[in-house]
Short mmCIF file of all heavy atoms in Angstrom, two decimals:
data_model
loop_
_atom_site.label_atom_id
_atom_site.label_comp_id
_atom_site.label_asym_id
_atom_site.label_seq_id
_atom_site.Cartn_x
_atom_site.Cartn_y
_atom_site.Cartn_z
N VAL B 354 6.61 8.11 21.22
CA VAL B 354 5.72 8.59 20.16
C VAL B 354 6.13 7.98 18.82
O VAL B 354 5.28 7.53 18.05
CB VAL B 354 5.74 10.12 20.07
CG1 VAL B 354 5.03 10.60 18.82
CG2 VAL B 354 5.09 10.72 21.30
N GLY B 355 7.43 7.93 18.56
CA GLY B 355 7.92 7.32 17.33
C GLY B 355 7.53 5.85 17.23
O GLY B 355 7.16 5.37 16.16
N GLU B 356 7.59 5.15 18.36
CA GLU B 356 7.21 3.73 18.37
C GLU B 356 5.71 3.56 18.11
O GLU B 356 5.29 2.64 17.40
CB GLU B 356 7.60 3.10 19.70
CG GLU B 356 9.12 3.01 19.90
CD GLU B 356 9.48 2.52 21.29
OE1 GLU B 356 8.56 2.30 22.10
OE2 GLU B 356 10.69 2.37 21.57
N ILE B 357 4.92 4.45 18.70
CA ILE B 357 3.46 4.38 18.49
C ILE B 357 3.13 4.65 17.02
O ILE B 357 2.35 3.92 16.39
CB ILE B 357 2.73 5.39 19.40
CG1 ILE B 357 2.87 4.98 20.87
CG2 ILE B 357 1.26 5.49 19.03
CD1 ILE B 357 2.40 6.03 21.85
N VAL B 358 3.74 5.70 16.46
CA VAL B 358 3.48 6.04 15.06
C VAL B 358 3.94 4.91 14.15
O VAL B 358 3.28 4.56 13.17
CB VAL B 358 4.18 7.37 14.69
CG1 VAL B 358 4.10 7.63 13.19
CG2 VAL B 358 3.55 8.53 15.46
N HIS B 359 5.09 4.31 14.46
CA HIS B 359 5.57 3.16 13.68
C HIS B 359 4.54 2.04 13.68
O HIS B 359 4.23 1.46 12.64
CB HIS B 359 6.88 2.65 14.26
CG HIS B 359 7.30 1.30 13.72
ND1 HIS B 359 6.90 0.12 14.33
CD2 HIS B 359 8.03 0.94 12.64
CE1 HIS B 359 7.39 -0.90 13.64
NE2 HIS B 359 8.07 -0.43 12.61
N ASP B 360 3.99 1.75 14.84
CA ASP B 360 3.00 0.66 14.93
C ASP B 360 1.74 0.98 14.13
O ASP B 360 1.13 0.09 13.53
CB ASP B 360 2.64 0.39 16.39
CG ASP B 360 3.74 -0.36 17.13
OD1 ASP B 360 4.81 -0.60 16.53
OD2 ASP B 360 3.53 -0.70 18.31
N LEU B 361 1.35 2.27 14.12
CA LEU B 361 0.18 2.65 13.35
C LEU B 361 0.41 2.45 11.85
O LEU B 361 -0.50 2.10 11.10
CB LEU B 361 -0.17 4.12 13.61
CG LEU B 361 -0.71 4.47 14.99
CD1 LEU B 361 -0.85 5.98 15.13
CD2 LEU B 361 -2.06 3.80 15.23
N MET B 362 1.64 2.67 11.42
CA MET B 362 1.97 2.57 9.99
C MET B 362 2.40 1.17 9.57
O MET B 362 2.42 0.86 8.38
CB MET B 362 3.08 3.56 9.65
CG MET B 362 2.70 5.02 9.85
SD MET B 362 4.11 6.12 9.53
CE MET B 362 3.34 7.73 9.74
N ALA B 363 2.76 0.34 10.54
CA ALA B 363 3.32 -0.99 10.24
C ALA B 363 2.22 -2.00 9.94
O ALA B 363 2.00 -2.95 10.70
CB ALA B 363 4.19 -1.46 11.39
N VAL B 364 1.49 -1.76 8.86
CA VAL B 364 0.43 -2.69 8.46
C VAL B 364 1.03 -3.77 7.57
O VAL B 364 2.06 -3.59 6.93
CB VAL B 364 -0.69 -1.95 7.70
CG1 VAL B 364 -1.35 -0.95 8.61
CG2 VAL B 364 -0.15 -1.26 6.46
N SER B 365 0.36 -4.90 7.51
CA SER B 365 0.81 -5.99 6.64
C SER B 365 0.40 -5.69 5.21
O SER B 365 -0.76 -5.41 4.92
CB SER B 365 0.21 -7.32 7.09
OG SER B 365 0.57 -8.35 6.19
N LEU B 366 1.37 -5.75 4.30
CA LEU B 366 1.11 -5.52 2.89
C LEU B 366 1.22 -6.80 2.08
O LEU B 366 1.34 -6.75 0.85
CB LEU B 366 2.07 -4.45 2.35
CG LEU B 366 1.95 -3.07 3.00
CD1 LEU B 366 3.01 -2.13 2.47
CD2 LEU B 366 0.57 -2.48 2.77
N ASP B 367 1.19 -7.95 2.76
CA ASP B 367 1.29 -9.22 2.04
C ASP B 367 0.16 -9.41 1.05
O ASP B 367 0.33 -10.07 0.02
CB ASP B 367 1.32 -10.39 3.04
CG ASP B 367 2.74 -10.83 3.36
OD1 ASP B 367 3.60 -10.70 2.48
OD2 ASP B 367 2.99 -11.29 4.49
N THR B 368 -1.00 -8.85 1.34
CA THR B 368 -2.13 -8.99 0.42
C THR B 368 -1.80 -8.41 -0.94
O THR B 368 -2.17 -8.98 -1.98
CB THR B 368 -3.38 -8.27 0.99
OG1 THR B 368 -3.74 -8.87 2.22
CG2 THR B 368 -4.55 -8.38 0.03
N MET B 369 -1.07 -7.30 -0.96
CA MET B 369 -0.70 -6.70 -2.24
C MET B 369 0.27 -7.60 -2.99
O MET B 369 0.22 -7.71 -4.22
CB MET B 369 -0.10 -5.32 -2.03
CG MET B 369 -1.10 -4.29 -1.57
SD MET B 369 -0.48 -2.60 -1.65
CE MET B 369 -0.25 -2.38 -3.42
N ASN B 370 1.17 -8.25 -2.27
CA ASN B 370 2.08 -9.20 -2.91
C ASN B 370 1.32 -10.36 -3.53
O ASN B 370 1.61 -10.81 -4.63
CB ASN B 370 3.10 -9.72 -1.90
CG ASN B 370 4.42 -8.97 -1.96
OD1 ASN B 370 4.75 -8.37 -2.98
ND2 ASN B 370 5.16 -8.99 -0.88
N ILE B 371 0.32 -10.85 -2.81
CA ILE B 371 -0.50 -11.95 -3.33
C ILE B 371 -1.24 -11.50 -4.59
O ILE B 371 -1.29 -12.23 -5.59
CB ILE B 371 -1.50 -12.44 -2.27
CG1 ILE B 371 -0.76 -13.04 -1.06
CG2 ILE B 371 -2.46 -13.46 -2.86
CD1 ILE B 371 0.04 -14.27 -1.38
N LYS B 372 -1.81 -10.29 -4.55
CA LYS B 372 -2.51 -9.77 -5.73
C LYS B 372 -1.56 -9.64 -6.91
O LYS B 372 -1.93 -9.90 -8.07
CB LYS B 372 -3.13 -8.41 -5.41
CG LYS B 372 -4.29 -8.45 -4.42
CD LYS B 372 -5.49 -9.15 -4.99
CE LYS B 372 -6.67 -9.12 -4.04
NZ LYS B 372 -7.84 -9.88 -4.57
N LYS B 373 -0.33 -9.21 -6.63
CA LYS B 373 0.67 -9.10 -7.69
C LYS B 373 0.88 -10.44 -8.38
O LYS B 373 0.88 -10.54 -9.62
CB LYS B 373 1.99 -8.61 -7.10
CG LYS B 373 3.18 -8.65 -8.05
CD LYS B 373 4.51 -8.70 -7.31
CE LYS B 373 4.77 -10.08 -6.72
NZ LYS B 373 6.10 -10.18 -6.05
N CYS B 374 1.04 -11.50 -7.58
CA CYS B 374 1.30 -12.83 -8.14
C CYS B 374 0.07 -13.43 -8.80
O CYS B 374 0.18 -14.14 -9.81
CB CYS B 374 1.84 -13.75 -7.05
SG CYS B 374 3.51 -13.32 -6.52
N GLU B 375 -1.11 -13.17 -8.27
CA GLU B 375 -2.33 -13.64 -8.92
C GLU B 375 -2.48 -12.98 -10.29
O GLU B 375 -2.92 -13.62 -11.26
CB GLU B 375 -3.55 -13.32 -8.04
CG GLU B 375 -3.64 -14.18 -6.79
CD GLU B 375 -4.79 -13.78 -5.89
OE1 GLU B 375 -5.31 -12.65 -6.04
OE2 GLU B 375 -5.18 -14.59 -5.03
N ASP B 376 -2.13 -11.72 -10.37
CA ASP B 376 -2.17 -10.99 -11.64
C ASP B 376 -1.21 -11.62 -12.64
O ASP B 376 -1.56 -11.86 -13.80
CB ASP B 376 -1.80 -9.53 -11.37
CG ASP B 376 -1.78 -8.68 -12.63
OD1 ASP B 376 -2.73 -8.81 -13.44
OD2 ASP B 376 -0.84 -7.90 -12.82
N GLN B 377 0.01 -11.91 -12.20
CA GLN B 377 0.99 -12.54 -13.07
C GLN B 377 0.53 -13.92 -13.54
O GLN B 377 0.68 -14.27 -14.72
CB GLN B 377 2.33 -12.66 -12.33
CG GLN B 377 2.99 -11.33 -12.03
CD GLN B 377 4.24 -11.48 -11.16
OE1 GLN B 377 4.40 -12.47 -10.48
NE2 GLN B 377 5.10 -10.49 -11.21
N ALA B 378 -0.06 -14.68 -12.63
CA ALA B 378 -0.52 -16.02 -12.98
C ALA B 378 -1.65 -15.97 -14.00
O ALA B 378 -1.73 -16.81 -14.90
CB ALA B 378 -0.98 -16.76 -11.72
N LEU B 379 -2.53 -14.96 -13.88
CA LEU B 379 -3.65 -14.83 -14.82
C LEU B 379 -3.16 -14.50 -16.23
O LEU B 379 -3.65 -15.07 -17.21
CB LEU B 379 -4.62 -13.75 -14.33
CG LEU B 379 -5.84 -13.47 -15.20
CD1 LEU B 379 -6.66 -14.74 -15.43
CD2 LEU B 379 -6.70 -12.39 -14.55
N VAL B 380 -2.18 -13.60 -16.33
CA VAL B 380 -1.63 -13.27 -17.65
C VAL B 380 -0.96 -14.51 -18.25
O VAL B 380 -1.15 -14.84 -19.43
CB VAL B 380 -0.62 -12.11 -17.56
CG1 VAL B 380 -0.02 -11.82 -18.93
CG2 VAL B 380 -1.29 -10.86 -17.01
N ALA B 381 -0.16 -15.22 -17.43
CA ALA B 381 0.53 -16.42 -17.90
C ALA B 381 -0.46 -17.49 -18.35
O ALA B 381 -0.27 -18.16 -19.38
CB ALA B 381 1.44 -16.95 -16.80
N ALA B 382 -1.53 -17.66 -17.59
CA ALA B 382 -2.54 -18.67 -17.95
C ALA B 382 -3.24 -18.30 -19.26
O ALA B 382 -3.61 -19.19 -20.05
CB ALA B 382 -3.57 -18.79 -16.83
N THR B 383 -3.42 -17.00 -19.51
CA THR B 383 -4.03 -16.56 -20.76
C THR B 383 -3.14 -16.94 -21.95
O THR B 383 -3.63 -17.37 -23.00
CB THR B 383 -4.28 -15.04 -20.74
OG1 THR B 383 -5.02 -14.70 -19.57
CG2 THR B 383 -5.04 -14.59 -21.97
N GLN B 384 -1.83 -16.79 -21.77
CA GLN B 384 -0.90 -17.20 -22.82
C GLN B 384 -1.01 -18.71 -23.09
O GLN B 384 -1.07 -19.14 -24.25
CB GLN B 384 0.54 -16.86 -22.41
CG GLN B 384 0.85 -15.37 -22.36
CD GLN B 384 2.26 -15.11 -21.89
OE1 GLN B 384 2.65 -15.57 -20.81
NE2 GLN B 384 3.02 -14.38 -22.68
N VAL B 385 -1.04 -19.49 -22.02
CA VAL B 385 -1.14 -20.94 -22.17
C VAL B 385 -2.46 -21.33 -22.81
O VAL B 385 -2.53 -22.23 -23.68
CB VAL B 385 -0.97 -21.64 -20.81
CG1 VAL B 385 -1.24 -23.14 -20.92
CG2 VAL B 385 0.44 -21.40 -20.26
N LEU B 386 -3.53 -20.65 -22.42
CA LEU B 386 -4.85 -20.95 -22.98
C LEU B 386 -4.88 -20.70 -24.49
O LEU B 386 -5.45 -21.49 -25.26
CB LEU B 386 -5.91 -20.10 -22.28
CG LEU B 386 -7.37 -20.55 -22.46
CD1 LEU B 386 -7.60 -21.89 -21.76
CD2 LEU B 386 -8.32 -19.51 -21.88
N LEU B 387 -4.26 -19.62 -24.94
CA LEU B 387 -4.15 -19.34 -26.37
C LEU B 387 -3.44 -20.47 -27.10
O LEU B 387 -3.88 -20.94 -28.16
CB LEU B 387 -3.41 -18.02 -26.59
CG LEU B 387 -4.21 -16.73 -26.45
CD1 LEU B 387 -3.30 -15.55 -26.21
CD2 LEU B 387 -5.08 -16.51 -27.69
N ALA B 388 -2.31 -20.92 -26.50
CA ALA B 388 -1.53 -22.00 -27.13
C ALA B 388 -2.32 -23.30 -27.16
O ALA B 388 -2.30 -24.04 -28.16
CB ALA B 388 -0.22 -22.17 -26.39
N LEU B 389 -3.02 -23.60 -26.07
CA LEU B 389 -3.81 -24.84 -26.01
C LEU B 389 -4.93 -24.84 -27.04
O LEU B 389 -5.21 -25.85 -27.68
CB LEU B 389 -4.40 -25.01 -24.60
CG LEU B 389 -3.45 -25.47 -23.50
CD1 LEU B 389 -4.14 -25.37 -22.13
CD2 LEU B 389 -2.97 -26.90 -23.75
N LYS B 390 -5.60 -23.68 -27.21
CA LYS B 390 -6.71 -23.60 -28.17
C LYS B 390 -6.19 -23.79 -29.60
O LYS B 390 -6.81 -24.50 -30.41
CB LYS B 390 -7.40 -22.24 -28.05
CG LYS B 390 -8.65 -22.11 -28.94
CD LYS B 390 -9.69 -23.14 -28.56
CE LYS B 390 -11.06 -22.84 -29.15
NZ LYS B 390 -11.10 -22.90 -30.62
#
Side-chain angles (χ1 to χ4, degrees):
V354 170
E356 293 173 358
I357 293 170
V358 171
H359 167 271
D360 285 4
L361 291 174
M362 296 176 176
V364 296
S365 176
L366 298 176
D367 264 329
T368 299
M369 290 192 65
N370 263 336
I371 296 296
K372 292 293 184 183
K373 171 203 75 177
C374 290
E375 289 176 342
D376 179 45
Q377 293 174 339
L379 179 56
V380 178
T383 307
Q384 291 177 305
V385 173
L386 196 67
L387 279 160
L389 284 171
K390 185 61 165 64

